[in-house]
Amino acid sequence: MRQSVPVPHGLPMDRDANPFDPPRAITRLRAARPVSPLVFPDGHEGWLVTGYDAVRQLMADTRFSSRLDLGVVHVPYETPGMPVPTEPSPQIPGVFIAMDPPDHTRLRRRLTGAFTVKRMKQLEEHIVEVTERQLDAMARLAPPVDLVREFALPVPSLVICELLGVPYEDRDTFQSNSAKFLVKEQTLEEKMAAYGALTTYLADLVTSKRATPGEDILSDLARHDDLTVEELTGIAFLLLLAGHETTANMLALGTFALLEHPDQLAELRADPDLLPDAVEELLRYLAVGDVFYRYATEDIELGGETIGKGSTVVVSLLAANHDPRRFEHPDTLDVHRKARGHLSFGHGVHQCLGQQLARVEMRAGFAGLLRRFPTLELAIPANEVKLRTDMNIYGVHELPVTWTETAG
C-alpha cells in the first residue's frame, strides 16, 4: 500500500549524509513512493522516479521520450533565484541522446562499431600505456599534487582525443568550455556561450576532416555524405563531452571513495582480481551522472501510478542504484559485490555508447594508481575536498593527494 508522503517541491540533490550517498530526502521518498509527483519551482507539476524497478522500466519504454522539444525545459531545480524557461527546447542536430527512434537509431548506429567490446579490448593495451605514461609523469612530481589535474582528467582526455581525432594540444579550450557548460548556477546565456565556443571549434574540426579525413572516429563519420556538418558537430560535442568528463570524475571520485574506505582499498590492493567487480561497484555507488529527464508521450502506468501524457519525468539514477530492493546494504561500498545491473550507464536504447571504453579506462586507471602509489593518501582533511555539487556531473573539483613511496 502506498504511503502518504508530502509532494516534493523541487528535488533536493545535496548529498548530505556523506559525499557518496543519495540525499536523505530522496531516500525517504524512494522508500515511501518510488514514483512520486513533483512540483517544479515554476509550479509546473511532473514526476520523480527513484525506485530501481521503476527507473529500469521507464528507461526501457520508448513512450517516455528523450526529446526536449516535447517537454518543458527547466533550469536545474536546485538553483535558487534562476529564471525557469517554460518553452520547449528545439532539437539540436546530432545530439542523439535528446532524440527518439528512428532519428536516434539513424545516428547512433553510425557509432556502434567504434565502441564494441571487441574494439575496446583491442584498445586496452594502448589505454594501459597512456595510463602508465601519465602515472610516470605524476610520480616525477613532488607531492602533494592534485589528482584531478595530474591524472584523472588527462587520461580520458588523451584517450578520447586520440579516438576522435581531436588535437590534445587544444585540451584547454575544450576542457574549460565543457566545464563551463556543466555548471548549474548560470544563466542560459552563459551556458549557451560555452556551448557555442565548443561547437564552433568542433564545426571547424569536422569540416577539415571531411576535406582531409584521417584514421579516427570523426573522420569515419565525416565520410558519410548523409550526415550534415551540423549533425557531425553535435555528435562530436556529445562524444567529446561524455568521453572525458564522466570518466575523469569517476577516477577522481572513485579514488576519494577508496581512500575514505581503507578496508576496501586494502582488499583491492591485496587481490587485484577484484578490480573488475570493484569498478562496477564504484559505478553503482557513485553514479556521477545522476538526473535525467523524460517526457510521457501518452498516459503510462508506472509503479502503480498513472503518468499523464505530456508530463515531465525526472529520473534519479543515484537513488535507483541505492535501492535496497535491488542491492543489499546499498549505501555500503563493497568491492566484492556483483553490482552488474546498476543503472549508471542508463538502460534501454539510450544506454551509454561508451560504457566499455569507460570500463577499460577505469580498470587501467585504478589498477595503475594503486600499484604505483602504495602509500597514496589525502593531503587534506576529507571534509575540505571540493565537491562538484555545482555541476551537472558529480565528482571533485580537486583531490590533493600525497605519498611517501612509489613502485615500479
Side-chain angles (χ1 to χ4, degrees), residues 340-386:
R340 289 192 179 269
H342 66 75
L343 298 173
S344 292
F345 289 123
H347 183 62
V349 298
H350 286 284
Q351 191 169 44
C352 176
L353 187 65
Q355 60 179 293
Q356 301 305 336
L357 174 62
R359 286 185 168 105
V360 171
E361 290 174 329
M362 282 185 274
R363 288 197 296 265
F366 288 124
L369 188 67
L370 299 187
R371 186 189 74 254
R372 296 288 297 277
F373 296 91
T375 57
L376 191 73
E377 61 182 3
L378 289 178
I380 59 174
N383 62 5
E384 293 180 13
V385 172
K386 296 177 182 176

Side-chain angles (χ1 to χ4, degrees), residues 184-323:
K184 290 178 182 175
E185 292 196 31
Q186 64 178 329
T187 64
L188 195 58
E189 289 76 16
E190 289 171 319
K191 181 179 279 287
M192 292 312 294
Y195 173 77
L198 263 175
T199 52
T200 298
Y201 166 75
L202 290 170
D204 290 342
L205 184 65
V206 297
T207 301
S208 71
K209 289 185 180 297
R210 177 151 275 177
T212 53
E215 297 298 319
D216 54 72
I217 289 173
L218 293 185
S219 293
D220 291 345
L221 290 170
R223 291 185 176 95
H224 294 284
D225 292 335
D226 63 319
L227 293 177
T228 66
V229 169
E230 290 77 17
E231 286 177 322
L232 289 169
T233 301
I235 293 170
F237 166 75
L238 266 187
L239 296 181
L240 185 60
L241 185 75
H244 79 277
E245 277 284 352
T246 49
T247 305
N249 283 290
M250 274 302 306
L251 285 170
L253 190 65
T255 301
F256 183 27
L258 289 171
L259 292 175
E260 284 296 281
H261 294 81
D263 57 329
Q264 299 297 299
L265 179 58
E267 293 197 38
L268 202 50
R269 287 193 196 280
D271 184 2
D273 289 342
L274 289 173
L275 192 61
D277 284 340
V279 165
E280 298 303 318
E281 171 66 347
L282 285 165
L283 284 161
R284 178 201 72 83
Y285 184 63
L286 300 172
V288 297
D290 179 12
V291 174
F292 290 84
Y293 288 86
R294 293 290 186 266
Y295 305 95
T297 58
E298 58 184 82
D299 290 353
I300 305 170
E301 293 291 322
L302 182 70
E305 309 281 356
T306 300
I307 296 181
K309 180 179 179 179
S311 295
T312 301
V313 185
V314 180
V315 181
S316 173
L317 300 186
L318 176 67
N321 279 343
H322 283 245
D323 189 342

